Amino acid sequence: MKKTLYLKFLIAYLIFGFFGFIVVATFVSNMTRNMLTQNKAESLYTEATLIADTYATDLYNSKTSLDIVKREIDMLDVYLSSTIWIISPSGSIILDSSVPVDIENPVTVEGFDPAAIAGNYYTVGKYFNSFDEEVLSVTAPIIINYKVQGYVVIHSTMKSIEDFTNQLLNISYIMLVILFLLSLIILIFFTNLVYRPLRKITKATEEYASGNLHYQFQVDSGDEIGYLAASLSYMASELARGEDDQKKLVANVSHDFRSPLTSIKGYSEAMLDGTIPPELYEKYLTIVRDESDRLIKLTNSLLTLNNLNTDGMILDKSDFDINEIIHKTVATFEGSCRQKRISLKLVLTGDKLFVHADMTKIQQVLYNLLDNAIKFSHKDSDIKIETVEKHNKVFVSVKDSGIGIPKESIRQIWDRFYKTDLSRGKDKKGTGLGLSITREIIRSHGENINVISTEGEGSEFIFSLPISDIDENDEENT
Ligand code: ADP
């Protein structure tokens, strides 16, 4: 493909040169010859009319002798480098500047027909076969008393015109060659601006197609080709990132599945072969149950995340009271709060606060945030859940005074399978998927979720939701 493009451009370039040559050799050559002939004819015609009006008229009126006229005409012959004739309407040559006067043997132009040259003051040819080569002949009538008494004809050889035409053509050819060489600059531009970058891009696509998505290439240009190269490079880096993420995901999934499975297998084998005595069964079966729960939770989270991504998140939006959903979700955590003596404080705006969102998914968000808040809170602490209405949005905040998140981990907590080192020790059941699901849900609503956290002091997660068009009173009336 690469060679062909270059070849095509070269062929186009040669065709351009060839046609340029043809145009100069045909059109330009003809046009120059015609123009020069016409110019020469015009100037000769002026001379011919002058002779017709002066010497020839005087000759016919017998005011001047034939010899005097002949002398004058001979001089003009030398001056104009042309042959001058004075001929009668019947075609007999009365005076010829190229030969001496010979009254005894008058020469007649065979087939002379004034009608044939009427309308054209000049002709190019052999002038009724009077010459062996082509001549330019200009004819001016001698008119006396409104009657044509004869003609003054000036013949000039075409050779001088041909020579001049060829000289001009030579200049045109030289200009053509110079232009052709100058247009080589276009070829150089094409090579540097199009051909080379295209080769780099083609090479890069070949590398990407063969799986080397980390292949780097550089096209330094700000035009469309540069933009194409940058887009391609960006696309490859995104694909590479996607591939890396995929690998990381598989590694994480395998790792997170393997550890509970190893302990389930280990404990059940130990119970079967008697290493664990029956009186300790309850303790180890509890571990086996907890590990199985963790596997179920992990599988469910993975399925949720996969559905969120593949469906492009289909939302079943409705208007609902977020305060009520908060109350309901909080109720499900009563047990675990009591265990850790955590008190949940609700600071909710209004009696009812309507938002327009997917209720089930928002409930899941609240569940994930509260689950984390309780998990990472110290015993005997408070968790505050707050709703605030601002700028046509509802902001929901879940704030704990637990272990907090280290500064360097804040950006990563949204990544799949990410757990801070602090939580790894404390939270054996966590999957590291909760927050990435939460963020996907909020983003699919076109809203945002943020975290403010200080290690050792606590964390606050705040997310926004679109406020519903209907207000509290509408809802009560319906
Ligand atoms: P997990 O299911 O493990 O909790 P998440 O995605 O919900 O996974 O959270 C990722 C990590 O973010 C947690 O392992 C924890 O380290 C940190 N984290 C999340 N919420 C809190 C919080 N309220 N306080 C402290 N750390 C938190």
Side-chain angles (χ1 to χ4, degrees):
M1 165 340 234
K2 293 172 268 173
K3 273 182 192 131
T4 328
L5 185 64
Y6 203 69
L7 205 71
K8 277 180 189 166
F9 198 80
L10 259 181
I11 291 172
Y13 181 70
L14 290 175
I15 289 176
F16 162 75
F18 176 72
F19 278 106
F21 178 79
I22 298 279
V23 166
V24 171
T26 54
F27 294 116
V28 178
S29 151
N30 276 338
M31 277 159 62
T32 316
R33 190 177 295 104
N34 288 345
M35 193 195 72
L36 288 176
T37 311
Q38 199 169 349
N39 278 355
K40 177 103 182 185
E42 269 168 23
S43 70
L44 289 182
Y45 185 70
T46 316
E47 298 293 337
T49 7
L50 210 68
I51 296 170
D53 291 346
T54 53
Y55 306 122
T57 312
D58 288 352
L59 185 70
Y60 273 91
N61 290 338
S62 306
K63 280 188 191 164
T64 326
S65 73
L66 196 62
D67 288 336
I68 294 172
V69 175
K70 164 77 173 145
R71 215 179 311 133
E72 298 291 342
I73 280 179
D74 283 354
M75 273 158 62
L76 278 171
D77 173 316
V78 176
Y79 169 65
L80 295 172
S81 316
S82 314
T83 307
I84 304 167
W85 288 356
I86 294 176
I87 52 175
S88 69
S90 61
S92 93
I93 300 175
I94 298 162
L95 248 177
D96 182 345
S97 66
S98 61
V99 290
V101 182
D102 185 357
I103 300 171
E104 259 96 88
N105 301 307
V107 181
T108 307
V109 178
E110 289 297 324
F112 178 72
D113 177 12
I117 47 172
N120 283 329
Y121 65 90
Y122 78 90
T123 57
V124 176
K126 294 185 176 167
Y127 206 75
F128 302 103
N129 283 328
S130 311
F131 296 90
D132 296 333
E133 50 162 15
E134 289 222 315
V135 288
L136 165 67
S137 307
V138 177
T139 313
I142 305 162
I143 302 169
I144 300 165
N145 294 333
Y146 308 109
K147 266 188 77 185
V148 177
Q149 303 291 346
Y151 299 93
V152 174
V153 186
I154 305 181
H155 304 287
S156 173
T157 149
M158 281 299 283
K159 197 178 170 311
S160 62
I161 292 175
E162 287 295 342
D163 288 348
F164 198 43
T165 307
N166 287 339
Q167 273 175 23
L168 286 180
L169 272 185
N170 282 344
I171 295 173
S172 299
Y173 284 131
I174 292 170
M175 290 311 295
L176 187 72
V177 170
I178 291 174
L179 270 180
F180 194 67
L181 291 178
L182 277 180
S183 60
L184 267 179
I185 295 172
I186 299 176
L187 200 68
I188 295 168
F189 267 100
F190 170 78
T191 311
N192 284 328
L193 297 179
V194 181
Y195 181 64
R196 287 216 180 108
L198 263 187
R199 271 187 66 161
K200 281 188 188 173
I201 292 173
T202 317
K203 169 95 177 72
T205 44
E206 279 167 7
E207 289 288 336
Y208 297 150
S210 66
N212 180 10
L213 289 172
H214 293 281
Y215 179 78
Q216 299 274 344
F217 75 107
Q218 184 91 19
V219 172
D220 297 315
S221 109
D223 55 17
E224 284 82 350
I225 292 199
Y227 186 66
L228 171 69
S231 309
L232 192 70
S233 176
Y234 177 71
M235 185 196 79
S237 67
E238 284 296 297
L239 282 176
R241 210 164 59 98
E243 200 182 55
D244 291 348
D245 284 353
Q246 200 71 23
K247 280 185 188 155
K248 227 160 68 186
L249 184 80
V250 173
N252 284 332
V253 172
S254 324
H255 176 266
D256 280 50
F257 269 88
R258 200 172 48 197
S259 36
L261 281 174
T262 316
S263 59
I264 290 171
K265 184 172 181 269
Y267 292 136
S268 39
E269 272 175 2
M271 277 184 268
L272 282 174
D273 66 17
T275 318
I276 294 175
E279 56 272 25
L280 289 178
Y281 276 10
E282 195 186 336
K283 180 187 166 192
Y284 288 101
L285 279 174
T286 313
I287 299 176
V288 168
R289 192 198 56 203
D290 287 350
E291 292 292 64
S292 314
D293 279 350
R294 191 154 105 88
L295 282 177
I296 292 167
K297 197 177 163 195
L298 194 64
T299 318
N300 286 340
S301 298
L302 272 174
L303 284 175
T304 313
L305 208 55
N306 203 34
N307 287 341
L308 295 186
N309 287 341
T310 48
D311 297 352
M313 183 90 74
I314 299 159
L315 297 174
D316 179 17
K317 285 189 183 179
S318 61
D319 295 304
F320 63 91
D321 175 15
I322 185 76
N323 290 348
E324 188 192 335
I325 298 300
I326 292 174
H327 278 295
K328 271 191 191 164
T329 319
V330 163
T332 60
F333 286 100
E334 252 168 31
S336 43
C337 282
R338 203 176 306 123
Q339 269 179 9
K340 286 181 90 172
R341 294 186 300 279
I342 291 172
S343 67
L344 295 172
K345 296 207 164 8
L346 306 190
V347 185
L348 307 178
T349 299
D351 188 19
K352 287 175 184 235
L353 187 54
F354 283 94
V355 292
H356 186 70
D358 185 321
M359 195 174 79
T360 324
K361 294 206 166 70
I362 296 302
Q363 195 164 9
Q364 188 171 0
V365 167
L366 283 168
Y367 185 92
N368 289 353
L369 294 180
L370 267 173
D371 186 39
N372 280 345
I374 295 166
K375 218 159 44 180
F376 301 113
S377 275
H378 304 296
K379 282 184 179 150
D380 298 305
S381 63
D382 290 345
I383 292 174
K384 187 166 93 177
I385 301 145
E386 198 177 350
T387 51
V388 177
E389 188 191 332
K390 221 197 288 177
H391 308 309
N392 248 357
K393 286 197 185 299
V394 171
F395 291 86
V396 182
S397 138
V398 178
K399 186 177 182 182
D400 64 64
S401 43
I403 61 169
I405 303 165
K407 222 174 172 182
E408 62 278 7
S409 303
I410 288 239
R411 285 166 69 97
Q412 285 141 289
I413 55 166
W414 309 103
D415 292 348
R416 292 176 188 184
F417 292 103
Y418 184 79
K419 290 168 153 196
T420 64
D421 289 338
L422 285 179
S423 72
R424 285 207 177 267
K426 295 187 169 45
D427 168 37
K428 295 231 163 40
K429 285 190 181 165
T431 58
L433 290 171
L435 283 182
S436 61
I437 293 174
T438 301
R439 188 167 68 164
E440 290 282 341
I441 293 175
I442 297 296
R443 279 192 174 173
S444 70
H445 280 80
E447 298 295 332
N448 279 312
I449 179 159
N450 274 316
V451 60
I452 306 163
S453 182
T454 313
E455 193 179 345
E457 287 186 17
S459 317
E460 180 178 11
F461 286 83
I462 308 162
F463 66 90
S464 60
L465 285 176
I467 200 155
S468 158
D469 288 338
I470 60 161
D471 65 25
E472 208 177 303
N473 299 330
D474 287 350
E475 182 70 9
E476 271 164 13
N477 294 340
T478 50

